[in-house]
Amino acid sequence: MTPKMVAGFRRSLSFPNHPNSSSKPKKTFHVRSTSLPCRSHPLISQLRDDLNALMAAFSSSPENRTSAWLCDSLARLKTIHESLDDLLQLPQTRESLHGHAGLVENLLEDFLRFVDVYGIFQTMILRLKEEHQAAQVAVRRKDAAAKLASYSKAIKNLGKEMEKKLIPSLQSTAGKYLVLPKQVVAVPDGDAEVVGVMKDAVKVTVLVSTALFNGLSVSFTKSSSRRWMVGPAKKANMEEGIEEFKEMAALWGVRRKGEEEDVKMVAKKMHEMEDCIGGIESGGEKVFRSLMNAKVSLLNVFTQ
């Protein structure tokens, strides 16, 4: 019996899927083409450019990483996976991958792991938001001491959970891609080039996800032990936390009521932090959805 195709809600097949960086309307190019995907195919060229740009952003990342920088990396990663999904939906791409069944199976396993990890992460971020909102209410009521102590304990536990549940999953995938090239090298053969951009998409997913999970974990736990780094992460100093979250340590010193200036400072800092958490939550959710779509496309290739 012929295996059934996996159905799902799809986006329209268009590119580039870049984050909106200007008010000028962008021209849309449809990628349903009768030509065999090869090195001259515009979608593969765009994917390679986006992969190189994201790798370059990490190699020249700021010494003090901020949530804005992290959100930008997540947006770039989402664009890459959306373009990869578009590529995987082309019949010619699926045909070219039929000769690489083992590779497709391995990539599918990687994407299943990514989807699982980002699903867990979304649950963790929701818990963080709830704890943060409860602490904000306590600060407004000038009842911050006990609640901030509880909040401090909660996010430290969350950081430890990230280290225990999320990072090892990435580590198992990273073992297959320990050496990350500075640039994606073009491969003359059309099929090999499709395979190349798919592998590199996995590599940058590990890179960005490591920065996200490890950065938050370090910021929450304030611990420099038991960290691991992947590929160029040694140069990028993956042990660095996220600036805004590290600054939250100043709040733990607030332990009594009646200091109006301290209360105002804490309230302002927590409001800024709420925006940072919201940005990371949104960026993570968009990456999660793009991973889901790419996973479905890979599954369709594998079951055909």
Side-chain angles (χ1 to χ4, degrees):
M1 182 174 67
T2 303
K4 293 183 179 179
M5 295 281 286
V6 178
F9 294 101
R10 316 303 306 183
R11 296 169 298 100
S12 59
L13 284 177
S14 60
F15 74 94
N17 295 300
H18 290 140
N20 222 355
S21 56
S22 69
S23 58
K24 185 177 179 179
K26 295 184 178 181
K27 187 176 180 179
T28 300
F29 298 88
H30 294 282
V31 300
R32 287 199 178 277
S33 169
T34 57
S35 61
L36 179 69
C38 61
R39 61 181 177 274
S40 61
H41 195 283
L43 184 53
I44 292 181
S45 298
Q46 186 64 64
L47 258 170
R48 193 189 307 117
D49 289 344
D50 289 343
L51 287 162
N52 286 332
L54 187 50
M55 289 178 183
F58 268 78
S59 65
S60 61
S61 63
E63 182 178 348
N64 297 322
R65 295 183 171 186
T66 65
S67 63
W69 177 86
L70 191 57
C71 288
D72 178 68
S73 298
L74 288 170
R76 289 170 182 256
L77 183 62
K78 176 197 71 107
T79 296
I80 286 171
H81 285 296
E82 287 182 345
S83 296
L84 180 63
D85 180 35
D86 286 346
L87 182 65
L88 287 168
Q89 290 187 62
L90 291 173
Q92 294 82 10
T93 301
R94 294 178 179 180
E95 183 179 351
S96 70
L97 290 174
H98 282 167
H100 305 277
L103 173 68
V104 173
E105 184 176 6
N106 287 334
L107 288 169
L108 180 58
E109 181 182 334
D110 292 335
F111 273 78
L112 287 169
R113 185 178 293 113
F114 289 146
V115 168
D116 184 52
V117 164
Y118 271 86
I120 295 172
F121 176 68
Q122 288 304 109
T123 301
M124 289 182 173
I125 285 293
L126 182 59
R127 283 168 48 198
L128 174 62
K129 281 181 66 176
E130 291 172 349
E131 290 285 348
H132 189 81
Q133 289 168 357
Q136 280 184 300
V137 171
V139 169
R140 287 196 294 268
R141 293 177 177 173
K142 299 183 180 181
D143 186 26
K147 188 56 190 175
L148 283 179
S150 173
Y151 181 38
S152 174
K153 182 178 179 180
I155 68 167
K156 283 180 181 179
N157 289 336
L158 197 59
K160 291 176 182 177
E161 280 190 55
M162 289 182 180
E163 183 179 14
K164 181 179 179 181
K165 296 181 179 179
L166 304 183
I167 294 177
S169 293
L170 287 178
Q171 190 173 17
S172 62
T173 300
K176 296 181 283 185
Y177 308 96
L178 285 176
V179 179
L180 284 168
K182 291 182 180 178
Q183 279 195 319
V184 181
V185 180
V187 182
D189 179 73
D191 289 0
E193 192 170 24
V194 172
V195 169
V197 294
M198 291 176 68
K199 285 183 176 180
D200 289 320
V202 173
K203 294 175 186 178
V204 296
T205 302
V206 171
L207 189 63
V208 174
S209 303
T210 299
L212 173 63
F213 304 144
N214 202 45
L216 291 176
S217 177
V218 169
S219 302
F220 291 164
T221 60
K222 301 295 177 182
S223 171
S224 61
S225 63
R226 296 173 61 194
R227 303 293 167 211
W228 62 278
M229 294 175 280
V230 179
K234 293 180 181 179
K235 294 182 181 180
N237 193 6
M238 294 301 295
E239 286 193 5
E240 286 294 324
I242 310 303
E243 280 302 297
E244 294 89 346
F245 290 91
K246 291 193 295 184
E247 290 173 4
M248 287 292 286
L251 301 183
W252 313 147
V254 180
R255 291 291 182 270
R256 62 183 183 275
K257 300 182 292 182
E259 298 181 2
E260 200 65 35
E261 290 187 5
D262 280 346
V263 170
K264 288 181 180 179
M265 179 273 294
V266 170
K268 181 178 181 227
K269 185 65 67 176
M270 293 196 80
H271 180 70
E272 293 172 356
M273 199 51 147
E274 184 179 18
D275 292 338
C276 295
I277 294 171
I280 290 174
E281 180 190 31
S282 176
E285 182 179 1
K286 289 174 182 177
V287 169
F288 173 73
R289 292 182 181 279
S290 67
L291 284 167
M292 281 286 291
N293 287 335
K295 181 207 72 172
V296 169
S297 294
L298 270 171
L299 187 57
N300 282 333
V301 171
F302 185 67
T303 55
Q304 276 186 337

